[in-house]
Amino acid sequence: MLRKLVAVAGVSLALASAVFAQEKTGTRPGFSLEAGSAIIVLVRPEISVGEQSTGGLFEPNADWTAQAREQIAAALQARQGALGNTVQPHDEGAGGDAGVAVQYARLFGSLAQSVMEYQFFPGNRLSTKKRRNSFDWSLGADIKKTFGNTGANYALFVYTHDEYGSAGRKMLQAAGLIASAFGVPVGVTSGVHHGYAGLVDLATGDLVWLNADLAMGGDVRTPEGASRRVQQLLEGFPGRSAPGAAGGVGR
């Protein structure tokens, strides 16, 4: 009997993962980026990693975040050649604009969340964002004051957030799945892994491309996991020279 319950729980978990795996890419209508036509400045990625407590609260882990930051930086460096255009990391020390750059990275995070909530995924979609060819989002033209002196045409923003389920959270999830097998719906998930990457036109501040995923894969604390995560973040990147140049990793 226990073996059957475990099997049912496993199937339920697989189905739940399929249901909640949501990814979406949006591009501003009329926007195109030819390979070799632009310089892109990579803004320092926003990365947060921690544990999901039994009660579902996020508990940041500085060591895990440091590991992820190192591994993702290396993975981004390795993948830049496949993006089709020159990508250069933003020098936060140049011009004394480090603080402003961080603020823009956080502002981008808020903008991306709005795109996901009000346009990408069902639920709270704004009527003005329901139009099929609408993708009208911006960080404002003042962004060129911070990044325009780099000589870049676009700014690339990257954000990832990972919560690894604690032992207690995983046990609670297993108990919920077993309860569901008996007809008692208990919605408990273990782990949160989402991220997004976006390209902003520095001449106008307009968001011209965004790729978001609410159920990402890869353990960002490891080289292999970080490489997989970066591939997912940059999936569908405009103007890339070879979409599969860095090798394919399934979701």
Side-chain angles (χ1 to χ4, degrees):
M1 181 64 178
L2 179 59
R3 184 174 299 176
K4 290 183 178 180
L5 290 177
V6 171
V8 170
V11 172
S12 300
L13 180 58
L15 291 175
S17 298
V19 170
F20 289 109
Q22 298 186 72
E23 53 156 321
K24 184 76 174 179
T25 300
T27 305
R28 195 175 183 86
F31 171 73
S32 63
L33 183 63
E34 294 183 8
S37 66
I39 298 175
I40 301 169
V41 60
L42 172 63
V43 183
R44 187 185 187 202
E46 287 283 298
I47 299 169
S48 57
V49 187
E51 188 173 65
Q52 186 182 37
S53 70
T54 302
L57 298 178
F58 175 58
E59 300 176 350
N61 186 302
D63 290 337
W64 290 356
T65 299
Q67 291 171 10
R69 187 172 295 283
E70 179 180 353
Q71 299 300 343
I72 288 179
L76 282 168
Q77 177 67 30
R79 195 163 292 272
Q80 287 176 16
L83 295 184
N85 284 280
T86 301
V87 181
Q88 58 189 34
H90 178 238
D91 183 356
E92 296 182 348
D97 57 4
V100 180
V102 170
Q103 291 177 25
Y104 267 113
R106 292 172 180 169
L107 179 60
F108 166 77
S110 298
L111 180 70
Q113 289 284 357
S114 295
V115 177
M116 288 188 287
E117 182 174 0
Y118 297 120
Q119 183 165 5
F120 273 5
F121 303 117
N124 303 317
R125 229 175 252 190
L126 295 176
S127 58
T128 55
K129 305 300 181 183
K130 289 181 180 179
R131 297 191 302 271
R132 185 171 184 177
N133 294 322
S134 172
F135 193 73
D136 189 14
W137 303 89
S138 179
L139 289 180
D142 283 348
I143 192 173
K144 61 187 173 186
K145 296 179 181 178
T146 299
F147 300 106
N149 60 359
T150 63
N153 309 105
Y154 301 92
L156 175 61
F157 292 88
V158 173
Y159 172 95
T160 65
H161 177 84
D162 290 88
E163 302 178 23
Y164 295 94
S166 63
R169 184 69 179 179
K170 292 175 181 177
M171 290 179 63
L172 186 62
Q173 180 191 34
L177 290 171
I178 292 174
S180 297
F182 285 98
V184 181
V186 181
V188 179
T189 59
S190 177
V192 175
H193 307 280
H194 64 255
Y196 34 83
L199 195 64
V200 174
D201 186 337
L202 292 178
T204 62
D206 293 341
L207 179 66
V208 294
W209 171 81
L210 180 71
N211 181 49
D213 196 331
L214 301 183
M216 306 199 82
D219 186 337
V220 294
R221 298 167 295 184
T222 68
E224 297 79 8
S227 178
R228 179 183 180 190
R229 176 64 57 87
V230 167
Q231 179 177 338
Q232 291 174 340
L233 287 167
L234 298 178
E235 200 167 279
F237 189 85
R240 62 191 306 173
S241 56
V249 179
R251 287 184 181 271

